Amino acid sequence: MPGEVLSLLAPRPGEIFLDGTVGGGGHARLILEATSPNGVLIGLDRDPQALAQAASVLAPFGDRVILRHGNFSEAAALLPDLGIAALDGMLLDLGVSSFQLDSMERGFSFRHEAPLDMRMDPTTGISAAEVLNTAEADELTRIFREFGEERWAGRIARRIVRTRQERPLTSTEELAELVRQSVPGGYAPARIHPATRVFQALRIFVNDELAHVSRGVSGAIDLLKPGGRLAVISFHSLEDRIVKRMFQAETSGCICPPRLPVCNCGHVPRLDLLTRKGVRAAAAEVESNPRARSAVLRAVRRRP
Ligand SMILES: C[S@@+](CC[C@H](N)C(=O)[O-])C[C@H]1O[C@@H](n2cnc3c(N)ncnc32)[C@H](O)[C@@H]1O
């Protein structure tokens, strides 16, 4: 949704933007063009490979671009070192990129045979294989249910535990096949592959994605100048729910429990909503990029 993002973020010449998920640099390039000739863009990504790609795409903008390897949930700690105190705008385009999904060796997709890694930042944390081969059945059930809304979570978890008693699970194809065997009708034609939810759940867990979204959105609001804009694109309902609730809390006046007869919270809204409802990708974009079907864009502006 580059057009919609640009119109909500409204970048102007000379402004300072932070792209917390710079990825392949597509949105960043548009922001740099709109802030020309002297705007600055700080691009973060937790994936060093994505950052390398962004560096080559954004090279023509020279020293107007500052790229850093890091998590957007820690953006506040980074800005003082760059001599920047506040931002005119910030973008979070959440989740995994097509580049990551198509990088076979990363293990994000059940469509490619690969080691079960799934870390966006391979320099830290534990891989999906480590989770699958060590977590208790109850914990695996919780992960598949909570982060994948998987109906057959318990069955799949128990089969994983049985299988790993004979040999550790190591590959994407092995896991996809195990899920197929665990769910009723796993081999029948279906709209989505039966392993879709389990792969999503593992990826969210391995990368602790939801906690970073909460911390990242809250930190972003603090970093905005008066009048500064924040746009967030979510790719599943778990992320979108967090963003929607945080925006609602920061745009409403009273946040007292409904049973209180008189307001005593003294809450002052810090934001104005720029999108009353989540914005969805236009049909033409979904046709050329089917992943855009799940995207929801929300934006806010910091009050003066
Ligand atoms: C959907 S892509 C972004 C694509 C980008 N907007 C573009 O135009 O090319 C998401 C990117 O965000 C990164 N990412 C996801 N969560 C992150 C986090 N918490 N901190 C930093 N980067 C993150 C991923 O590594 C991935 O490269």
Side-chain angles (χ1 to χ4, degrees):
M1 290 188 274
E4 292 86 343
V5 168
L6 219 57
S7 104
L8 289 162
L9 285 179
R12 287 183 290 262
E15 288 191 326
I16 304 173
F17 272 76
L18 191 145
D19 184 344
T21 51
V22 72
H27 286 100
R29 188 169 52 79
L30 297 174
I31 293 170
L32 280 155
E33 281 165 3
T35 53
S36 173
N38 54 347
V40 171
L41 180 121
I42 305 140
L44 297 184
D45 207 292
R46 67 195 294 193
D47 180 350
Q49 281 188 24
L51 219 52
Q53 209 195 3
S56 103
V57 169
L58 304 176
F61 296 96
D63 60 6
R64 291 178 53 212
V65 183
I66 304 168
L67 294 176
R68 290 285 182 275
H69 179 221
N71 201 304
F72 59 66
S73 63
E74 284 147 24
L78 200 97
L79 294 194
D81 279 355
L82 303 175
I84 293 170
L87 300 165
D88 294 293
M90 180 157 167
L91 171 65
L92 298 176
D93 182 10
L94 300 173
V96 73
S97 66
S98 309
F99 175 71
Q100 288 165 330
L101 284 171
D102 295 340
S103 301
M104 299 191 191
E105 75 288 354
R106 308 287 299 269
F108 286 112
S109 168
F110 46 76
R111 295 186 202 289
H112 310 295
E113 169 64 346
L116 278 163
D117 192 316
M118 296 198 194
R119 283 171 300 168
M120 289 186 197
D121 181 354
T123 65
T124 182
I126 62 166
S127 68
E130 285 174 82
V131 175
L132 288 169
N133 289 310
T134 57
E136 303 283 339
D138 284 354
E139 173 70 344
L140 289 173
T141 305
R142 182 190 71 81
I143 293 170
F144 301 151
R145 203 169 273 150
E146 204 170 301
F147 302 132
E149 296 170 330
E150 171 58 60
R151 180 173 167 202
W152 306 106
R155 273 188 193 226
I156 298 167
R158 286 192 295 278
R159 191 182 276 259
I160 288 171
V161 172
R162 274 203 309 278
T163 305
R164 78 189 190 199
Q165 279 160 0
E166 290 161 25
R167 57 188 158 78
L169 277 162
T170 56
S171 86
T172 49
E173 267 181 10
E174 233 178 320
L175 176 62
E177 180 58 20
L178 183 149
V179 175
R180 260 193 201 283
Q181 288 168 2
S182 313
V183 304
Y187 290 93
R191 197 175 57 80
I192 61 166
H193 189 289
T196 306
R197 292 188 195 85
V198 165
F199 271 69
Q200 172 188 299
L202 272 173
R203 196 202 81 215
I204 293 176
F205 180 77
V206 163
N207 295 290
D208 201 10
E209 290 179 33
L210 302 183
H212 290 303
V213 172
S214 296
R215 281 207 293 277
V217 171
S218 158
I221 296 168
D222 293 339
L223 288 173
L224 291 179
K225 291 179 187 172
R229 289 81 65 198
L230 166 66
V232 186
I233 308 174
S234 307
F235 280 89
H236 53 76
S237 53
L238 299 170
E239 283 168 350
D240 186 49
R241 205 172 300 150
I242 296 174
V243 177
K244 186 174 161 185
R245 288 197 181 140
M246 294 184 84
F247 283 3
Q248 261 166 1
E250 291 285 359
T251 48
S252 359
C254 171
I255 52 166
C256 289
R259 64 192 153 70
L260 283 192
V262 187
C263 167
N264 67 2
C265 68
H267 183 253
V268 179
R270 290 195 292 168
L271 302 175
D272 287 318
L273 266 184
L274 297 177
T275 47
R276 205 173 50 80
K277 287 167 89 176
V279 177
R280 298 219 163 239
E285 188 182 345
V286 174
E287 204 167 308
S288 63
N289 170 19
R291 276 196 73 229
R293 192 186 327 115
S294 331
V296 179
L297 165 65
R298 297 183 189 274
V300 284
R301 184 174 44 223
R302 182 90 187 238
R303 288 191 166 193

